[in-house]
């Protein structure tokens, strides 16, 4: 019997892991690439959605974390640390459990979606809520790993980016070439860096005939890469990308410019509308931050800045179940009419009686 192949076993030749390192995997990667027909109609472009919420802990972070924990375990580390808006901490906690290591997670107090907090707690991490934002947490995590014997597993650890680039490989492997345009949300800017690396490496090796233009979207209240300077008090309903000073800012700008792409911003309203569209029209439930790329595409279509006829891939980064409070807020009381256990009564409530 063989376990489900994770990204290390599928792409090892492309990844900087020592032969002596153990492989810590939960079977991540191989996520669905779904043709989104309604979205394609809206955009006038053939649009494929890369559903990263289908990873073991419900986000794209698992692709990098399998590498980070394999390397950490190989180096003899006993504990790992990360700052997080929630998904990195969930993933680190799970992979550290698999590796038999301790986890410390530094989280902005009160600003983590409940599902993500539950993941860290249930996986047994030491959860430290910091009275500050993500940027404060990252600075502390860096210093903690410098002064104490704990390995840093944020995406400032370059091996995380290496793992995350495998999503671009998978897209080319499935479509047969790179798309015209790849779109994704941007927070700390690790993932746009990772996709660009994956696409350029496949192109250099002749596996793809081209590279896509990269379009990244930040939340309007947390858009340092659009404004061109750090944001001291980032604010958005999309807590996963509530980041004011992205660690990989320079690499994200390089990905934008080398690909001939753009980094722009979308409002919270546009993000929530895109989240609803994906769920109600495409059957894909994502957390708010994950919808930023789709929100950006819909906005650019409206302003005429999206050329029709392109082939587009758009990454949705995390599962909707991670943040059900936001998903249900603003929808009024949950619709749950109680009826008697009677066929006619049920049919009446469903509007089935002529
Ligand atoms: N989407 C989701 C669901 C995320 O959790 C993140 C980042 C992003 C998008 C942005 O990706 O940072 O590589 O540009 N979450 C990090 C965390 C910051 O701590 O979980 P990025």
């Amino acid at each position: 019997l063989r376990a489900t192949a994770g990204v290390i076993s599928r792409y090892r030749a492309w990844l900087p892991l020592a032969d002596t390192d153990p492989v810590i995997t939960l079977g991540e990667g191989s996520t669905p690439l779904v043709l989104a027909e309604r979205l394609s109609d809206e955009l006038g472009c053939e649009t494929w959605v890369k559903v990263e919420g289908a990873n073991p802990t419900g986000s794209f972070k698992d692709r990098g974390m399998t590498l980070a924990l394999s390397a950490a375990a190989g180096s003899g580390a006993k504990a790992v640390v990360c700052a997080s808006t929630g998904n990195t901490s969930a993933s680190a906690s799970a992979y550290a459990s698999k590796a038999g290591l301790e986890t410390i997670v530094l989280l902005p107090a009160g600003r983590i979606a409940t599902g993500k907090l539950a993941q860290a707690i249930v996986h047994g991490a030491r959860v430290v809520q910091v009275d500050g934002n993500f940027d404060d947490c990252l600075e502390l995590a860096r210093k903690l790993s410098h002064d104490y014997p704990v390995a840093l597993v944020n995406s400032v650890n370059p091996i995380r980016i290496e793992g995350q680039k495998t999503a671009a490989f998978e897209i080319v492997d499935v479509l047969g070439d790179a798309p015209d345009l790849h779109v994704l949300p941007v927070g700390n800017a690790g993932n746009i860096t990772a996709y660009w690396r994956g696409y350029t490496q496949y192109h250099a090796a002749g596996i793809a005939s081209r590279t896509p233009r990269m379009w990244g979207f930040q939340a309007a209240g947390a858009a340092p890469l659009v404004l061109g300077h750090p944001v001291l008090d980032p604010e958005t309903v999309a807590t996963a990308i509530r980041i004011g000073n992205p660690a990989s800012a320079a690499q994200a700008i390089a990905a934008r410019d080398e690909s001939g792409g753009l980094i722009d911003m979308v409002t919270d309203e546009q993000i929530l509308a895109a989240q609803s569209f994906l769920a109600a029209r495409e059957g894909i439930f994502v957390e708010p931050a994950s919808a930023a790329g789709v929100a950006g595409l819909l906005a650019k279509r409206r302003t005429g800045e999206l050329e029709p006829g392109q082939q587009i891939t758009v990454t949705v980064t995390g599962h909707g179940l991670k943040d059900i409070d936001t998903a249900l807020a603003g929808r009024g009381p949950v619709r749950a009419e109680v009826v008697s256990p009677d066929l006619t009564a049920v049919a009446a409530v469903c509007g089935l009686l002529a």
Side-chain angles (χ1 to χ4, degrees), residues 298-316:
L298 290 168
K300 292 292 180 196
R301 172 64 173 163
R302 245 171 269 125
T303 55
E305 295 166 82
L306 180 71
E307 197 187 313
Q310 301 185 74
Q311 186 186 53
I312 301 174
T313 51
V314 53
T315 303
V316 294

Side-chain angles (χ1 to χ4, degrees), residues 226-257:
V226 183
L227 303 175
H229 58 77
V231 174
L232 281 182
D233 272 315
E235 202 49 81
T236 169
V237 70
T239 52
I241 51 173
R242 185 173 166 265
I243 294 172
N245 190 14
S248 299
Q251 295 94 314
I253 297 298
R256 178 194 71 188
D257 295 344

Side-chain angles (χ1 to χ4, degrees), residues 60-61 84-85 87-88 186-191 240-241 243 287 290 317:
F60 69 99
K61 305 289 182 180
S84 184
T85 56
N87 282 320
T88 298
V186 174
N188 209 28
N191 214 26
I241 51 173
I243 294 172
E287 64 167 291
S290 303
T317 43

Side-chain angles (χ1 to χ4, degrees), residues 52-60 62 87 119 287 317-320 322:
E52 289 290 278
N55 276 295
T57 77
S59 86
F60 69 99
D62 296 346
N87 282 320
Q119 288 179 287
E287 64 167 291
T317 43
H319 204 291
K322 284 174 174 274

